[in-house]
Amino acid sequence: MEESVRSDISDSDFSVDLRYELGFGNHFSSEALSGALPQCQNNPLVCPYGLYAEQISGTAFTVPRKLNQRSWFYRIKPSVTHEPFKPRERCGHLVSEFNQATSCATPTQLRWKPMEVPERPTDFIDGLYTICGAGSSFLRHGFAIHMYNADKSMDNCAFCNADGDFLIVPQKGRLWITTECGRMQVSPGEMVVLPQGFRFSVYLPDGPSRGYIAEVFGTHFQLPDLGPIGANGLAASRDFLVPTAWFEQSLRPGYTIVQKFGGELFTANQDFSPFNVVAWHGNYVPYKYDLSKFCPFNTVLVDHSDPSINTVLTAPSEKPGVALLDFVIFPPRWLVAEHTFRPPYYHRNCMSEFMGLIYGGYEAKADGFVPGGASLHSCMTPHGPDTKTFEATVTARADTGPFRIRDTMAFMFESCLIPRVCPWALESPYLDRDYYQCWIGLRSHFSYEGKTVSNGDNREIHPEE
């Protein structure tokens, strides 16, 4: 257990060294004041320092112990101390129920260019908009993929997502995130998970910021099983960082809680900061991870490994081995396969794939897919390397020897559910309407050079024909 930085540090001082707890799925204890955590019980008649005890549950009370997630907060005032919620305007670009009324089905390959800085000051909440998704937050099954584009810090307000977990991947600009468990700095090249129900605020120290968000309903992210890989590799538990306790105690008149509930936004006013948790313990916590620490595995002889080998986190479905949503990355690594087309192969997949690029280039797309952009290849829609990548690869012919992919970080959100696409994403000025052209130039390389082959109807064809 580690004491954190003192209370009442302003946003301008956020860059001081933040301390973190280490590990994934551990039971943590943290206090900003020594002795603030009760001993031997969770809910004493009188808590130390006159604090209130409050539990947040991420799972049902009765799930098996190994799956149970909950934390206890010891706070200056309980979170229930607020005025009634009221509907909030300007939430039309968020969706948590995917049906014909809210979204469209299309098997076409889609790609979007990077967003420009917002035309008017926009914070993280107003900069959120849904690209696609499937299922229902009310039925507790499904996912949504959002993007955010903001240039203004959240002011005297906090956000709470009652629908599901947010997995945020910043692409441009750092995020200084304050949560009820403490504070985190999340930079491009890192990711952060903010579990369902946590209140948080986002400060933008670098000005304009944009990135990607995967939201899952009714489940939580976990580390994937390693199977034949063994006990080590991919994302190591020790590299996940959890914030340590930090609190605000001053009055904050007019402070606003913005809650996402069923894809709609509601607001409630209170006179204090929700970040008044002096101590906490539990295993239901926000956490972040530096993607550069991922330990990739790959083929060492022939053929191209399936992308599942690069899974960082997975949100499982009810069917074993099938993900509601996987978070997969394509980091710098060596390619050494012999006699092999090394870029990703052409493919049709029963899963649906949303891709983003944090920095650098992507090995399957020589042109058009740039940092801050995105693409969507839905269930059984064919996709693969563009013409330029394919031609450059096969023209080389001879093995080029080991080759290191450098200075790149692409990622994929992959789901067993078929996504429906929101109308504003299909109508967006950033939609690349010429995306299909990247494959149109693929030509036939078929040649049999004097050999007898079958034309498919059992009639032999000779070269002179």
Side-chain angles (χ1 to χ4, degrees):
M1 183 175 62
E2 184 176 10
E3 289 190 22
S4 184
V5 295
R6 65 179 177 84
S7 64
D8 296 325
I9 295 179
S10 67
D11 286 331
S12 62
D13 297 320
F14 203 107
S15 58
V16 298
D17 291 336
L18 298 175
R19 292 195 290 268
Y20 297 90
E21 301 280 0
L22 308 180
F24 186 92
N26 297 349
H27 190 111
F28 302 97
S29 296
S30 184
E31 52 185 14
L33 291 177
S34 180
L37 277 174
Q39 300 299 308
C40 304
Q41 67 178 115
N42 295 319
N43 188 24
L45 178 63
V46 178
C47 293
Y49 297 101
L51 299 170
Y52 287 87
E54 179 179 296
Q55 183 177 229
I56 182 169
S57 298
T59 56
F61 298 143
T62 52
V63 301
R65 179 184 287 257
K66 66 179 181 180
L67 301 177
N68 202 291
Q69 297 187 39
R70 65 91 175 93
S71 288
W72 280 91
F73 296 150
Y74 299 93
R75 58 195 319 152
I76 297 170
K77 291 182 72 173
S79 59
V80 71
T81 314
H82 62 78
E83 297 175 3
F85 282 103
K86 299 177 181 179
R88 181 181 187 268
E89 297 181 357
R90 296 182 61 191
C91 61
H93 286 177
L94 284 176
V95 175
S96 290
E97 305 297 306
F98 294 91
N99 51 51
Q100 291 180 331
T102 63
S103 47
C104 308
T106 175
T108 298
Q109 302 95 336
L110 300 173
R111 184 163 71 185
W112 292 270
K113 302 172 185 177
M115 299 172 289
E116 298 176 357
V117 176
E119 294 182 355
R120 60 181 180 181
T122 302
D123 67 11
F124 179 83
I125 300 173
D126 289 327
L128 284 171
Y129 65 96
T130 309
I131 298 292
C132 61
S136 164
S137 62
F138 285 101
L139 298 180
R140 314 305 305 132
H141 179 69
F143 74 94
I145 293 174
H146 317 279
M147 297 187 75
Y148 70 89
N149 187 24
D151 61 355
K152 174 179 175 291
S153 298
M154 292 171 59
D155 182 26
N156 212 42
C157 71
F159 188 59
C160 176
N161 181 11
D163 293 336
D165 289 7
F166 268 175
L167 188 160
I168 303 175
V169 184
Q171 186 274 320
K172 177 182 178 181
R174 292 172 298 163
L175 305 179
W176 286 353
I177 302 177
T178 304
T179 76
E180 290 166 285
C181 285
R183 306 194 301 174
M184 297 181 286
Q185 175 176 272
V186 186
S187 303
E190 297 181 315
M191 51 128 287
V192 60
V193 172
L194 301 171
Q196 177 188 8
F198 271 84
R199 295 177 176 182
F200 65 91
S201 185
V202 178
Y203 185 86
L204 305 180
D206 304 324
S209 180
R210 67 188 179 201
Y212 314 85
I213 301 176
E215 179 182 13
V216 292
F217 311 137
T219 188
H220 300 294
F221 289 100
Q222 63 187 47
L223 291 172
D225 292 330
L226 294 179
I229 292 176
N232 304 288
L234 308 188
S237 299
R238 65 181 294 184
D239 292 327
F240 287 82
L241 304 180
V242 173
T244 53
W246 177 90
F247 69 96
E248 293 179 325
Q249 60 180 329
S250 57
L251 290 175
R252 299 287 292 271
Y255 199 98
T256 303
I257 303 297
V258 181
Q259 183 138 325
K260 186 167 88 73
F261 185 85
E264 300 180 41
L265 298 184
F266 299 83
T267 62
N269 291 329
Q270 58 188 47
D271 61 1
F272 63 97
S273 166
F275 311 120
N276 65 351
V277 178
V278 180
W280 61 268
H281 75 87
N283 63 348
Y284 191 52
V285 292
Y287 56 89
K288 74 168 192 169
Y289 176 72
D290 182 347
L291 301 179
S292 68
K293 295 185 177 182
F294 187 80
C295 179
F297 277 65
N298 214 328
T299 181
V300 294
L301 188 58
V302 296
D303 290 343
H304 186 101
S305 299
D306 295 329
S308 52
I309 200 69
N310 290 324
T311 301
V312 179
L313 293 173
T314 182
S317 71
E318 298 85 355
K319 186 180 295 185
V322 179
L324 176 69
L325 191 131
D326 279 337
F327 174 54
V328 179
I329 66 172
F330 303 95
R333 61 201 183 279
W334 283 94
L335 299 182
V336 301
E338 302 172 1
H339 316 295
T340 296
F341 183 82
R342 290 178 177 174
Y345 44 79
Y346 293 102
H347 188 45
R348 286 178 293 166
N349 193 353
C350 63
M351 307 285 277
S352 295
E353 304 172 0
F354 177 94
M355 286 200 65
L357 184 60
I358 303 171
Y359 59 84
Y362 178 54
E363 59 188 303
K365 296 292 189 295
D367 297 310
F369 189 51
V370 296
S375 66
L376 176 64
H377 304 138
S378 292
C379 172
M380 290 303 172
T381 293
H383 54 281
D386 58 18
T387 302
K388 188 173 180 178
T389 300
F390 180 86
E391 294 293 345
T393 303
V394 299
T395 298
R397 293 287 184 182
D399 289 329
T400 57
F403 174 75
R404 179 173 171 80
I405 298 179
R406 302 177 183 272
D407 303 322
T408 181
M409 186 65 73
F411 73 89
M412 178 168 67
F413 298 142
E414 184 175 66
S415 176
C416 66
L417 303 182
I418 299 176
R420 299 181 65 90
V421 185
C422 295
W424 44 86
L426 293 174
E427 299 164 1
S428 170
Y430 301 110
L431 180 66
D432 184 353
R433 302 186 185 279
D434 294 325
Y435 182 30
Y436 72 97
Q437 294 281 1
C438 78
W439 295 292
I440 293 298
L442 290 167
R443 58 187 176 85
S444 172
H445 291 265
F446 179 71
S447 173
Y448 48 94
E449 299 179 351
K451 298 179 181 178
T452 299
V453 298
S454 170
N455 71 346
D457 60 2
N458 296 324
R459 183 175 68 89
E460 289 186 346
I461 295 180
H462 297 276
E464 59 271 18
E465 296 180 38

